[in-house]
Amino acid sequence: MPDRIYLDHAATTPLRPEARAAMEEGFAIWANPSSPHAEGRKAKNALEDARDRVKKSLGWDGEVIFTSGASEAAALAIAHAKVDRRAVSAVEHDAVFLDGEGSFDSVMPVGENGRVSRGEIYEALAVTGTSPNDGRPTTLLCQQHVNSETGACFNVSGMHRVLGNFHGCLMLSDCSQSAGKLELPSTDMAIVSAHKLGGPIGIGALLVRDYALLNPTGGHERGYRRGTENLPGAMGFAAALDAGGWLTTAEQREAFFASLGDARLSFAGQVDYIGAVAHPTISAQALLIKLDAMGIAVSAGSACSSGTLKKSRVLDAFGIDDKTAKRTIRVSIGWNTTQQDLERFSEAWVGLT
């Protein structure tokens, strides 16, 4: 039997060898980085080295708060940003959209082009008209960089420029699906996750332009996060970013999705490593079973919801009709995907009946 093909990298991606080696080194430095003795100082030095490498690899000139992953980073930003109001786009990952449920004062819909309009931004900012209002409240605007179910890429930098006209308003971008793959957008805060780019599960970070944007919570990470730091995870995270690289080229990935024709749903600014693919007749659940039996792993939307039979909240927000949504799966490519993997999927897709 041929090796199985894994095309669910948007859920999680295999650990890079460089990250595994770095983690083993971290496990050997067993002391608590917050301890004052020599062993603790050695661990602290390794932690700060990992922090600096993460910042350098991501091109981030602000601060890095290590967390247990993207979900904690999102919760930290949403709960502790120094703002009066919070607004979120309707297509955010559940880690942002649902974890902050009840905290959001406004939900911004996406239009037919898959974009949040300037008018929606002004409405979310509680602005009347199109000019700054000194009397309006400060707002945290949450907009992901790359959508995990469709591969749509949002103009976060453009939205951040709009926010620049309004004193005290902040931009939070979920960059879990773009960090280490695309250049980070201009933003005040960014959510990143190691296991989406070949690092270990259980480590992520909240990138913050300035600590002063957050209310401190006490404890570690300069007083902005509680819990002993995950040194092996941080070292693995940094090593995965340092390693970089893919086994396929951008041209090969683009050609793969182009070969699927109209099966790939079209969205604004799509990336070349995540695609929502709809079969003309077979349901998503049946597709998962058939492809799994053929040795191919894919998913039906984000990992936190793909096991349900409900229509994807995200596809609904993008305006995908019910019949198409029920026949849509997600195909996502990772650092160790080969050209042969893509060719085998294309052959299997054509033969599905």
Side-chain angles (χ1 to χ4, degrees):
M1 293 289 292
D3 292 337
R4 286 184 59 83
I5 299 173
Y6 182 80
L7 293 175
D8 194 21
H9 292 268
T12 193
T13 199
L15 189 66
R16 291 179 182 266
E18 298 88 347
R20 184 186 299 275
M23 291 181 71
E24 291 176 353
E25 181 182 348
F27 285 126
I29 308 173
W30 44 264
N32 188 321
S34 295
S35 297
H37 45 61
E39 290 82 358
R41 295 196 302 273
K42 181 177 180 180
K44 181 71 170 181
N45 289 338
L47 181 70
E48 295 311 314
D49 176 69
R51 195 188 313 275
D52 289 342
R53 289 160 59 198
V54 167
K55 290 172 62 172
K56 182 178 179 180
S57 292
L58 294 176
W60 183 254
D61 59 4
E63 308 295 345
V64 172
I65 301 172
F66 284 124
T67 65
S68 61
S71 294
E72 185 194 349
L76 194 160
I78 294 167
H80 298 288
K82 293 180 179 179
V83 293
D84 302 311
R85 302 176 73 257
R86 291 158 179 80
V88 63
S89 85
V91 296
E92 297 300 305
H93 189 278
D94 284 352
V96 174
F97 193 90
L98 297 182
D99 284 0
E101 196 169 24
S103 300
F104 294 116
D105 301 279
S106 177
V107 177
M108 301 176 291
V110 295
E112 292 182 358
N113 63 352
R115 300 292 193 193
V116 175
S117 70
R118 184 177 288 251
E120 293 292 347
I121 296 174
Y122 283 129
E123 184 174 336
L125 295 175
V127 172
T128 56
T130 57
S131 61
N133 179 351
D134 291 338
R136 50 123 203 101
T138 56
T139 302
L140 176 69
L141 202 66
C142 305
Q143 174 62 68
Q144 64 193 186
H145 191 199
V146 171
N147 183 263
S148 65
E149 294 190 36
T150 65
C153 186
F154 290 87
N155 184 13
V156 173
S157 295
M159 296 176 73
H160 191 222
R161 284 194 294 273
V162 172
L163 283 192
N165 296 319
F166 303 95
H167 178 72
C169 290
L170 304 177
M171 186 89 202
L172 168 66
S173 185
D174 179 3
C175 296
S176 299
Q177 297 293 348
S178 62
K181 302 166 188 174
L182 305 177
E183 182 179 352
L184 288 183
S186 173
T187 185
D188 297 299
M189 292 185 279
I191 298 164
V192 294
S193 176
H195 76 100
K196 305 291 188 181
L197 50 85
I201 292 173
I203 185 75
L206 177 64
L207 311 185
V208 187
R209 177 167 50 81
D210 191 303
Y211 286 128
L213 303 181
L214 297 171
N215 289 308
T217 61
H220 302 280
E221 290 297 282
R222 310 298 198 280
Y224 290 88
R225 191 249 179 180
R226 298 176 183 177
T228 301
E229 298 93 337
N230 179 359
L231 175 59
M235 293 175 68
F237 189 1
L241 282 169
D242 288 344
W246 297 60
L247 296 185
T248 55
T249 65
E251 291 76 14
Q252 288 173 324
R253 298 190 292 273
E254 290 168 358
F256 162 70
F257 280 118
S259 72
L260 301 179
D262 294 338
R264 187 191 190 188
L265 304 184
S266 180
F267 301 94
Q270 286 173 302
V271 297
D272 58 23
Y273 50 88
I274 299 174
V277 181
H279 194 275
T281 60
I282 305 175
S283 72
Q285 295 300 318
L287 287 169
L288 298 186
I289 294 171
K290 287 175 177 285
L291 289 168
D292 192 43
M294 299 168 72
I296 301 173
V298 295
S299 66
S302 63
C304 58
S305 61
S306 62
T308 72
L309 296 177
K310 296 180 181 179
K311 179 183 178 182
S312 163
R313 171 183 58 79
V314 168
L315 292 182
D316 191 49
F318 271 112
I320 304 301
D321 65 88
D322 290 353
K323 290 184 178 179
T324 301
K326 289 178 180 178
R327 295 182 276 103
T328 299
I329 61 172
R330 178 182 68 184
V331 178
S332 49
I333 302 168
W335 67 270
N336 67 338
T337 303
T338 67
Q339 177 66 12
Q340 291 72 28
D341 293 338
L342 301 181
E343 291 172 355
R344 276 183 57 194
F345 177 88
S346 296
E347 293 171 1
W349 183 258
V350 171
L352 286 171
T353 56

